[in-house]
Amino acid sequence: MDQNSGECHESTASVISFDAIVTENNYGTLKILRRPSAKPFDRQQIRRIERLPVEVARQRFKKQYVMAIQDMIDAGELRLIRDDFCDKIIDIVAKGKNRYDRYLAGLAIREKKRGGARAQRKRREIEKSVEFHQGFKCGQTMWKWYWQWRDNGDDGLFDNYRNCGKYNRYDDATDAFIVSILSALWDQERPTVKSFVESVQAALGAENERRERLPVPAIKMKMVGYDYILRLIKENAPLDHKIRKNGWDKTYKDLHTLGPGIETSRALQRVEIDEYTVDLFVLMKSTDLFEHLPQSIKNILQLDGAARRVTLSAALDVHTRCFLALQIVPEGIESPLRHTVEMIYTDKNPIADAAGAKFGWPMAGAPETIVLDRGPAYVTDDAYDVLASLGITNLGAPAGKPWLKPFIERVFRTIHRDLLLRFSGRAFSNVIERGENDSAARSTLTLEAFLVWLVRWTVDAYHPKFHKGLGMSPKEAWEKATKECEPRSLSSDEMREAFGNQGRRKLSRSGLRVCHIDYQSDACMEKFLDSGAEYFDYLRWDGDIGTISVRCDDGPWTTVPAADEQWIGKNDIDLRVWLQERATQDPDEVRARRDFINDANKESVRLKQLKGLLSLPKTPAELQKDVDRFMRHADTAERRHKAGPYRDLLGDLDNETGDQPSQYTSENAADHEDTGSNHNDFDDDSME
């Protein structure tokens, strides 16, 4: 039944196969409307991913003041009475400003450039982060903020700032009048916007004069300008205007949308997360494993050949003791928790296959609760936003209390005793144990080899090994648990919203080009042809580059697939391999083409010389003669002045017979003196 109209419709519910779901997900058409046993999402509510950066900044500013109010209430310095809020507004503002300043200082400390240099923000950016709070110093306002936070949590602190400034300068009557004028002008032959502006302004002037002459004068309409007329044209008939301005052929050539072109023929209840610096020195050498990575990533990994200890970030499923994520954390990475949580959701079988493991690594799914410590890498707004957007409960364990997350601490000791002790380069815990052993000098394992052995140990040695606490191996425990309750996974759209990289691109006939791939859809074609929007925000997830999420003018996110089907279902690694293969060229092929071009040019010059098609180089005198010939018959004011007054054709004969003195001067004589009997006028006019 339609809840709005009350009309009953025939049920359209049906069951589709898993393969069909996977296909629709790869093409970006799978939409999750509601999940069983999950809290229904209010469609009128604005999701966190749709919030603008300035809205998030305002919400975080308010939160610091609300937290200051809560601290005062807990300390007995403030009562839950609105009048008390008004009386102690100075203390509230002082404590809130202090918390907010500390918050901004923490952000400034964490913002770093590559190499550890602190990022210098522009003055405009600094002012933008604090300029909106001016005027929020009223006790009633603080009272309202506090109860919004108490009733709705952090989401209650968002306001309607996104609607500020979105007003129409002109009323509907003026818009309708101007559109009617433009509709008549669109019948002209290739009109210009300037002609539209003049015609509309003339019509508005005449209409205002008519309104003045009425028995009861009416309100005049505001005069409009070029930008307003151009916006109305783009809103009402942009394509029609371009066709009439440039003609159908040129407009179709410039604006018709493109597709892939010619096609040719040819794949949990509790989780603990922590970091561990391995007790082994590893040689940071660039090997074949890293050849497809960009140079910036190689710099972050510090592949300079030196021996260093690497830090691991791991996620362990408590119920089955299986590794859900295990990866190295380079120094200076902004959000290690984000990458670790992303690995929890992704299929890791390709990693096991690449390492040459015997078994697979299918352990993946959506965790319900994550336990982590309060380290500086995890106590960040970005980390909390990721967990909140995914609906994951965050249990923060205080630092220095490892028994609150014992399973992940225990497995790190297992890595040390079962894997690292088998290789040279061990780092000892104290000076007495180390003695004269130079761990860095004894290191023999490269970073690539360490990663391969780490994956193989996880998949082939740890997961299949009998675990006393489980009474079976972690691999068997995972298989048993997933048969009883299949882990929940996320669609590609949800993964993009949580882990995608946001950017901005300009829409063209080919669609949106992001990382060497064109993304095109019917909605993009319509936007390109029938709107003035040029730049679009996008979300791209490295785990599925076949589709991206796109929005314009702060509108809703829509999914756009790749124009070429070869990228559907592929990831960023596939793209890097393709780019690496495409960039390589055979030196013999390059040399053969170069020799062909040189030989062809030499033979062409030889044949043209035999036919006399190539002119010989001219001397400076001959070049100057050509210049003079091209200037000879030009008529300019300067030459008329030098020639003197006008004389008739037979004026000289009349002067000889008459009494008038001759106008023949020495200057004129110089122009007409004989240059010799051998002078040939044909030579002066000839171009040869």
Side-chain angles (χ1 to χ4, degrees):
M1 183 180 70
D2 191 343
Q3 296 180 356
N4 297 326
S5 63
E7 183 180 1
C8 294
H9 301 280
E10 183 181 356
S11 176
T12 57
S14 61
V15 178
I16 60 177
S17 64
F18 178 76
D19 293 338
I21 294 177
V22 172
T23 302
E24 296 300 323
N25 181 43
N26 290 336
Y27 278 88
T29 58
L30 179 64
K31 301 297 180 183
I32 305 299
L33 301 179
R34 184 171 58 86
R35 295 186 182 276
S37 303
K39 180 181 178 181
F41 177 75
D42 186 7
R43 299 296 174 182
Q44 302 298 327
Q45 182 181 358
I46 302 175
R47 297 184 301 169
R48 182 65 67 95
I49 190 65
E50 296 177 349
R51 293 289 183 181
L52 302 177
V54 65
E55 291 182 286
V56 177
R58 292 171 66 88
Q59 182 263 353
R60 291 175 178 172
F61 164 79
K62 292 182 180 180
K63 185 176 179 180
Q64 301 304 320
Y65 278 77
V66 170
M67 296 302 296
I69 293 173
Q70 185 63 50
D71 292 341
M72 295 177 65
I73 294 174
D74 295 341
E77 301 175 1
L78 185 65
R79 294 179 296 166
L80 279 176
I81 302 175
R82 184 169 59 183
D83 292 342
D84 200 27
F85 275 63
C86 296
D87 295 339
K88 299 179 180 179
I89 183 61
I90 297 178
D91 296 337
I92 294 175
V93 171
K95 293 181 181 295
K97 188 176 185 302
N98 183 39
R99 285 187 63 100
Y100 186 64
D101 291 340
R102 293 178 61 188
Y103 168 76
L104 293 180
L107 292 180
I109 293 174
R110 288 195 293 267
E111 291 179 354
K112 294 182 179 180
K113 293 182 178 179
R114 294 174 184 172
R118 183 175 298 178
Q120 298 294 331
R121 294 192 299 171
K122 297 180 180 179
R123 180 180 180 87
R124 178 62 180 170
E125 296 176 353
I126 298 176
E127 293 176 351
K128 187 177 181 181
S129 63
V130 297
E131 64 181 357
F132 54 78
H133 75 270
Q134 301 296 333
F136 294 163
K137 299 178 181 179
C138 173
Q140 296 182 358
T141 301
M142 298 298 174
W143 172 266
K144 181 182 67 173
W145 287 359
Y146 179 75
W147 282 107
Q148 287 176 345
W149 177 69
R150 285 281 298 269
D151 294 340
N152 302 310
D154 291 351
D155 290 342
L157 297 178
F158 286 106
D159 52 22
N160 295 325
Y161 183 80
R162 61 170 51 206
N163 297 327
C164 293
K166 294 184 178 180
Y167 65 93
N168 192 2
R169 182 179 178 183
Y170 304 97
D171 54 18
D172 296 338
T174 303
D175 287 344
F177 178 81
I178 296 176
V179 170
S180 64
I181 300 299
L182 291 177
S183 299
L185 296 176
W186 279 325
D187 291 335
Q188 299 178 11
E189 181 67 20
R190 298 189 182 182
T192 62
V193 178
K194 183 177 180 180
S195 67
F196 284 158
V197 174
E198 293 177 348
S199 300
V200 170
Q201 290 177 348
L204 285 175
E207 176 64 17
N208 288 335
E209 291 182 0
R210 185 190 68 81
R211 293 188 177 191
E212 285 184 353
R213 292 194 298 267
L214 293 176
V216 179
I219 300 176
K220 294 183 179 180
M221 291 187 292
K222 295 181 179 180
M223 191 61 64
V224 298
Y226 184 94
D227 295 336
Y228 179 75
I229 297 297
L230 182 60
R231 182 176 66 83
L232 282 183
I233 293 174
K234 292 181 178 180
E235 289 179 356
N236 291 274
L239 185 59
D240 183 64
H241 169 66
K242 291 180 177 62
I243 292 175
R244 296 182 184 279
K245 180 180 179 180
N246 302 322
W248 174 267
D249 294 337
K250 188 177 186 307
T251 303
Y252 184 79
K253 177 182 177 181
D254 295 341
L255 299 180
H256 80 280
T257 52
L258 302 177
I262 300 176
E263 298 183 6
T264 58
S265 2
R266 303 281 177 249
L268 291 206
Q269 184 175 1
R270 180 185 175 96
V271 176
E272 293 181 359
I273 296 179
D274 201 1
E275 291 184 357
Y276 167 61
T277 301
V278 300
D279 295 331
L280 186 73
F281 279 86
V282 178
L283 297 175
M284 309 297 287
K285 292 183 178 180
S286 181
T287 54
D288 294 339
L289 180 65
F290 310 105
E291 64 177 352
H292 299 305
L293 295 180
Q295 187 61 37
S296 59
I297 303 299
K298 295 180 181 179
N299 294 337
I300 294 177
L301 294 176
Q302 296 180 333
L303 301 177
D304 55 2
R308 294 188 181 88
R309 298 170 63 185
V310 296
T311 300
L312 296 178
S313 178
L316 188 76
D317 175 38
V318 174
H319 184 68
T320 62
R321 308 295 199 276
C322 287
F323 278 105
L324 302 175
L326 188 60
Q327 58 183 353
I328 63 171
V329 181
E331 295 182 4
I333 191 170
E334 296 181 357
S335 54
L337 178 64
R338 182 189 188 94
H339 299 288
T340 303
V341 175
E342 179 181 359
M343 192 174 183
I344 294 175
Y345 283 89
T346 56
D347 180 20
K348 293 166 281 292
N349 281 317
I351 300 177
D353 295 339
K358 180 178 180 181
F359 297 105
W361 196 354
M363 293 74 179
E368 300 177 17
T369 303
I370 286 183
V371 184
L372 42 83
D373 60 20
R374 293 294 182 179
Y378 298 143
V379 184
T380 62
D381 292 327
D382 291 337
Y384 292 147
D385 288 344
V386 169
L387 298 178
S389 63
L390 294 171
I392 300 175
T393 303
N394 170 27
L395 297 182
K401 295 180 172 58
W403 57 86
L404 296 179
K405 41 183 178 54
F407 301 99
I408 191 68
E409 297 289 348
R410 179 65 178 82
V411 81
F412 285 150
R413 188 171 61 180
T414 303
I415 293 176
H416 175 74
R417 293 182 176 180
D418 196 24
L419 174 64
L420 302 182
L421 290 181
R422 304 179 187 275
F423 300 98
S424 60
R426 174 190 173 193
F428 296 91
S429 58
N430 54 62
V431 177
I432 297 176
E433 291 185 4
R434 182 170 64 249
E436 296 181 357
N437 182 19
D438 189 353
S439 303
R442 291 171 55 86
S443 59
T444 58
L445 207 61
T446 63
L447 179 60
E448 177 183 355
F450 171 74
L451 294 176
V452 171
W453 284 113
L454 182 64
V455 173
R456 288 192 59 188
W457 174 84
T458 302
V459 177
D460 292 343
Y462 173 74
H463 284 168
K465 184 181 178 181
F466 180 82
H467 195 287
K468 293 182 180 180
L470 298 174
M472 62 185 76
S473 67
K475 181 175 179 293
E476 293 174 342
W478 177 267
E479 294 173 352
K480 180 180 178 180
T482 53
K483 287 181 180 179
E484 296 173 354
C485 181
E486 185 71 20
R488 180 172 62 89
S489 60
L490 297 183
S491 66
S492 295
D493 278 348
E494 293 171 318
M495 293 293 288
R496 258 193 311 275
E497 292 179 0
F499 308 109
N501 299 318
Q502 190 167 353
R504 191 172 178 85
R505 289 291 186 272
K506 186 174 182 180
L507 184 64
S508 65
R509 294 188 299 156
S510 302
L512 291 170
R513 170 155 290 194
V514 180
C515 297
H516 307 280
I517 301 177
D518 291 328
Y519 294 88
Q520 186 67 281
S521 66
D522 290 345
C524 289
M525 297 181 189
E526 184 176 356
K527 284 286 185 182
F528 179 73
L529 293 174
D530 200 34
S531 73
E534 293 185 0
Y535 289 93
F536 286 70
D537 298 325
Y538 71 86
L539 281 175
R540 179 184 182 271
W541 177 48
D542 292 343
D544 183 7
I545 62 175
T547 55
I548 60 174
S549 296
V550 171
R551 73 173 180 181
C552 69
D553 299 332
D554 303 330
W557 291 97
T558 58
T559 303
V560 180
D564 194 343
E565 286 188 343
Q566 71 165 324
W567 300 114
I568 299 298
K570 299 298 180 62
N571 55 35
D572 190 66
I573 297 178
D574 299 325
L575 174 61
R576 296 190 184 280
V577 172
W578 179 77
L579 291 175
Q580 187 72 18
E581 294 175 351
R582 188 183 65 169
T584 58
Q585 285 186 331
D586 187 357
D588 293 335
E589 295 177 355
V590 175
R591 192 180 301 108
R593 175 170 177 79
R594 181 200 63 191
D595 294 341
F596 163 76
I597 294 175
N598 292 333
D599 295 342
N601 289 337
K602 292 179 181 178
E603 181 63 16
S604 176
V605 171
R606 187 183 69 84
L607 295 176
K608 291 177 181 178
Q609 289 176 342
L610 293 177
K611 283 288 188 178
L613 299 178
L614 292 179
S615 59
L616 297 177
K618 293 185 178 182
T619 63
E622 292 175 336
L623 293 175
Q624 183 60 38
K625 185 177 181 181
D626 290 338
V627 172
D628 295 339
R629 273 202 300 267
F630 276 86
M631 295 173 53
R632 179 176 181 182
H633 298 290
D635 186 12
T636 64
E638 178 187 17
R639 294 189 175 187
R640 292 184 181 184
H641 175 70
K642 290 182 178 181
Y646 174 76
R647 302 191 305 274
D648 291 336
L649 180 61
L650 302 178
D652 295 338
L653 299 178
D654 295 338
N655 290 334
E656 292 178 358
T657 57
D659 297 333
Q660 296 294 333
S662 174
Q663 297 180 1
Y664 192 81
T665 63
S666 60
E667 295 180 357
N668 302 135
D671 295 337
H672 296 278
E673 68 178 346
D674 192 2
T675 57
S677 59
N678 295 329
H679 178 72
N680 191 348
D681 292 338
F682 177 77
D683 293 338
D684 291 339
D685 296 332
S686 175
M687 297 296 295
E688 295 297 332

